[in-house]
Amino acid sequence: MFISLDGIDGAGKSTQIDLLRAHLESQGQTVACFRDPGSTKLGEAIREILLHREDIPLAGTAEMLLYMAARAQLVADQIRPALDSGATVICDRFLLANVVYQGVAGGLNVDDLWSVGRCATGGLSPDVTVILDLEPEAAATRIQRGADRLEKRGIEYFKKVRLGFLEQVQRASSKSLVVDASGSIDTIHSLIRTFVDAQQVNR
Ligand code: ADP
């Protein structure tokens, strides 16, 4: 099973991925966790450019294609092999985030992004997508480190991102869950765990 967690930075993705991983491992599953962009040599190099190399100007389409290239490598090197070996894959973000950040909020054509995304992923999509839904103001108070290239885009951009996730999530996976991420860590984990367990029973 391929599970993706998404939502704006600070919504709690890393926290919930760690908890879900521990839960699934306690059931005896082999779990492989990745981040998109990242988790391959190429993906981490692209991630560094996308988030931290502000000395390298990026046109919107070039930025979008770098995310796609990182994802293509991630699918080929990591996700496909892990799924083929029988592991459960949990990914911190996937194609949906690209559609939302660069398309809905960034102004690129959303249908084009889904279509380029199909090419980049070879048609692989998460079985389950979980959105951690949080107001950008609340997410910002949780982030302690300095802002990266994307985080500097301001609150109006992130409001569009938040709505974009809600609007596009059904195109990301056949099964999706939107969780109110303002609740306690335990409450959110319990909702995600229950949902994922139910999907596994249904498979
Ligand atoms: P993300 O991976 O989405 O950027 P993190 O999991 O790194 O988010 O969480 C960002 C910060 O918010 C961390 O300090 C984390 O401990 C805290 N945090 C995560 N979930 C919650 C929550 N439900 N309530 C309050 N703080 C949280």
Side-chain angles (χ1 to χ4, degrees):
M1 177 179 258
F2 176 14
I3 303 162
S4 170
L5 265 80
D6 222 317
I8 58 177
D9 276 323
K13 294 181 299 298
S14 313
T15 306
Q16 293 301 329
I17 285 171
D18 288 347
L19 292 170
L20 182 60
R21 172 187 212 151
H23 168 67
L24 296 174
E25 285 178 345
S26 78
Q27 295 176 333
Q29 299 190 46
T30 301
V31 181
C33 294
F34 306 115
R35 64 177 184 178
D36 177 18
S39 300
T40 67
K41 203 163 183 184
L42 176 68
E44 291 296 333
I46 289 177
R47 184 184 181 96
E48 175 66 19
I49 293 174
L50 287 168
L51 299 185
H52 303 299
R53 291 292 306 273
E54 286 165 72
D55 57 313
I56 302 178
L58 276 180
T61 306
E63 179 187 50
M64 177 271 280
L65 289 169
L66 285 177
Y67 278 102
M68 294 290 182
R71 187 169 308 112
Q73 195 69 28
L74 175 62
V75 169
D77 267 11
Q78 303 280 17
I79 298 181
R80 278 273 186 215
L83 291 172
D84 288 347
S85 75
T88 298
V89 169
I90 308 178
C91 207
D92 184 334
R93 299 222 150 116
F94 201 61
L95 173 57
L96 172 64
N98 209 173
V99 172
V100 169
Y101 279 82
Q102 277 70 49
V104 177
L108 297 183
N109 183 285
V110 166
D111 291 330
D112 284 353
L113 263 75
W114 283 117
S115 149
V116 176
R118 259 192 304 282
C119 172
T121 61
L124 180 71
S125 55
D127 298 297
V128 169
T129 296
V130 176
I131 301 298
L132 296 171
D133 179 45
L134 190 64
E135 285 185 14
E137 291 89 343
T141 65
R142 291 184 187 172
I143 299 174
Q144 302 298 320
R145 55 186 165 71
D148 63 30
R149 192 200 293 249
L150 278 169
E151 287 161 358
K152 287 181 183 147
R153 287 184 186 176
I155 211 83
E156 288 310 314
Y157 179 79
F158 286 102
K159 287 187 173 164
K160 286 187 196 160
V161 168
R162 181 191 181 193
L163 292 177
F165 277 124
L166 303 178
E167 175 192 300
Q168 296 292 320
V169 65
Q170 273 151 13
R171 294 177 75 175
S173 295
S174 55
K175 302 284 179 191
S176 57
L177 173 72
V178 177
V179 185
D180 176 1
S182 66
S184 76
I185 290 173
D186 283 351
T187 304
I188 296 165
H189 170 57
S190 165
L191 289 167
I192 295 173
R193 190 178 61 196
T194 304
F195 183 76
V196 168
D197 285 349
Q199 304 314 313
Q200 296 188 113
V201 170
N202 291 337
R203 273 160 72 86

